[in-house]
Amino acid sequence: MENRDLLVHLKSDVDAFSIKPRHLDRIREAFPGIRLVEATGREDFHLRLPDAVWLMTWVFRPEWYDKAPKLEAVFTPAAGHDWVTPDPSGRVKNFYGHFHGRIMRESLLAMMLYFNRRLAPASDNRKKKIWDRRIYDGASSLFSQQVLIVGYGAIGRQMAELLKAFGARITGVKRSTEGFENDPYAERVVTFDKLNEELPMADHVVLVLPGGPATDDLFTSQQFDRMKPGSYLYNLGRGNCYREDDLVRALINGPLAGAGLDVFHEEPLPTYSPLWNLPNVLITPHASAISREYLDLYIEEWIETVRNNLLT
């Protein structure tokens, strides 16, 4: 680890995604021999790139690998490959974040409780100074409900862990069920060909899917029409996986009672989108993983990643 260079360029207009002195201090504490350099901006980053051996960044384009002949590893907090493309030549190792579920599951829980506990009408009544306990007629509890998690990977399983603690019954959907026969959180894990069979049984359907052609328009009117009357949809993965027009129809005409949406096909969500005007839709601006602890979690994961993958 002695004399290992690490170039850090983690800046964002979201403060939680910008590295702080405490994070740099934690890296130095874990690896005293590291030569850590923080890029002051985009121009400085590109000037220092040719000498970088390790790099921690939000964005790295394919053509930049040729400009970094000494580069051995690129680290990014991002879970997906949207902004850091793997090295086409395979020369450089790429490492992505896997910690997001600890934050995102709380965002999902907040959305579920928002609908289950009737927080929207409660907020409206507060503004109008109306005391009406009847708005809670029909309110539901998670311990009596079935949750279908579509995209049962690392994030989906962390969500299931939390929801199971509330008593919810979990079904996971993923490409392969190998190794998930005795999953500690889901009652059962099924493959995508069983999705339409599971939809009518779920009170809450959670989408935690990656982007890309394989998940384009996975949910259309065919899937929405099969969902349980009064059920809810949540999307905290990527916005390409459902057709917005079909979702809007399902929210207006049924069977959906509501939707909690964090990601969209087009971001920012255009002002002309009908989703803005639907009273049974909760919208957050691709923010389900934003938390002041975000980079604290990432740095601890990064330290373990280095120890387990690059120092053995």
Side-chain angles (χ1 to χ4, degrees):
M1 192 65 193
E2 293 297 325
N3 302 321
R4 182 69 65 179
D5 291 343
L6 171 64
L7 176 61
V8 178
H9 185 47
L10 290 180
K11 299 291 184 183
S12 172
D13 56 356
V14 176
D15 184 67
F17 294 163
S18 293
I19 201 160
K20 308 294 191 303
R22 72 176 186 274
H23 302 128
L24 303 177
D25 290 342
R26 179 69 182 106
I27 292 173
R28 294 187 183 100
E29 177 189 5
F31 303 116
I34 201 168
R35 291 193 303 223
L36 195 156
V37 178
E38 184 182 12
T40 58
R42 186 176 303 176
E43 184 177 347
D44 187 45
F45 165 72
H46 284 284
L47 286 173
R48 296 181 182 275
L49 189 57
D51 294 322
V53 178
W54 289 354
L55 171 64
M56 185 183 293
T57 185
W58 278 116
V59 178
F60 202 81
R61 305 191 188 286
E63 61 269 21
W64 294 352
Y65 286 102
D66 290 339
K67 300 177 182 178
K70 299 179 182 179
L71 196 61
E72 297 176 0
V74 176
F75 306 91
T76 181
H81 297 183
D82 307 61
W83 303 298
V84 175
T85 305
D87 180 10
S89 73
R91 172 179 62 88
V92 179
K93 295 180 179 179
N94 297 87
F95 297 93
Y96 300 84
H98 299 283
F99 61 95
H100 304 79
R102 289 184 64 186
I103 304 171
M104 292 174 64
R105 65 183 183 179
E106 293 189 10
S107 297
L108 173 63
L109 179 62
M111 288 179 171
M112 288 181 165
L113 295 179
Y114 173 86
F115 290 117
N116 269 10
R117 300 307 307 162
R118 304 291 197 265
L119 295 186
S123 178
D124 290 340
N125 282 355
R126 184 194 63 81
K127 296 174 184 177
K128 300 172 184 176
K129 301 180 181 179
I130 295 174
W131 180 276
D132 182 8
R133 302 173 75 190
R134 292 171 298 178
I135 65 170
Y136 293 97
D137 289 344
S140 301
S141 295
L142 280 170
F143 62 74
S144 69
Q145 294 183 318
Q146 183 82 31
V147 180
L148 182 66
I149 300 179
V150 185
Y152 196 63
I155 293 174
R157 292 187 76 243
Q158 289 189 342
M159 290 174 170
E161 180 184 23
L162 181 65
L163 295 175
K164 184 180 179 182
F166 280 77
R169 303 182 306 280
I170 313 295
T171 300
V173 181
K174 63 192 314 292
R175 288 192 181 94
S176 171
T177 61
E178 184 177 356
F180 285 80
E181 294 81 4
N182 298 300
D183 187 76
Y185 311 122
E187 290 185 342
R188 62 185 181 277
V189 180
V190 302
T191 50
F192 276 89
D193 61 310
K194 303 294 185 182
L195 174 61
N196 286 351
E197 297 176 19
E198 296 291 338
L199 288 172
M201 296 181 282
D203 300 287
H204 303 275
V205 176
V206 183
L207 306 180
V208 200
L209 293 162
T215 58
D216 280 344
D217 294 337
L218 186 65
F219 269 65
T220 66
S221 58
Q222 180 183 6
Q223 283 69 43
F224 294 130
D225 289 346
R226 293 187 64 84
M227 290 178 65
K228 183 177 182 179
S231 62
Y232 297 90
L233 179 83
Y234 308 86
N235 191 11
L236 293 89
R238 289 293 183 266
N240 64 303
C241 63
Y242 64 80
R243 290 181 186 167
E244 184 175 304
D245 290 345
D246 291 348
L247 173 60
V248 169
R249 282 192 291 270
L251 287 164
I252 294 174
N253 302 321
L256 291 184
L261 306 175
D262 184 61
V263 290
F264 304 88
H265 190 273
E266 183 178 351
E267 296 183 2
L269 182 65
T271 56
Y272 56 78
S273 170
L275 291 171
W276 286 112
N277 299 317
L278 295 181
N280 55 345
V281 174
L282 177 61
I283 292 174
T284 55
H286 203 144
S288 67
I290 296 179
S291 169
R292 64 183 180 184
E293 295 87 4
Y294 185 95
L295 284 179
D296 296 303
L297 292 175
Y298 174 63
I299 295 302
E300 293 306 316
E301 180 180 277
W302 179 85
I303 291 170
E304 289 303 308
T305 297
V306 170
R307 286 173 175 163
N308 295 334
N309 294 278
L310 298 177
L311 298 184
T312 56

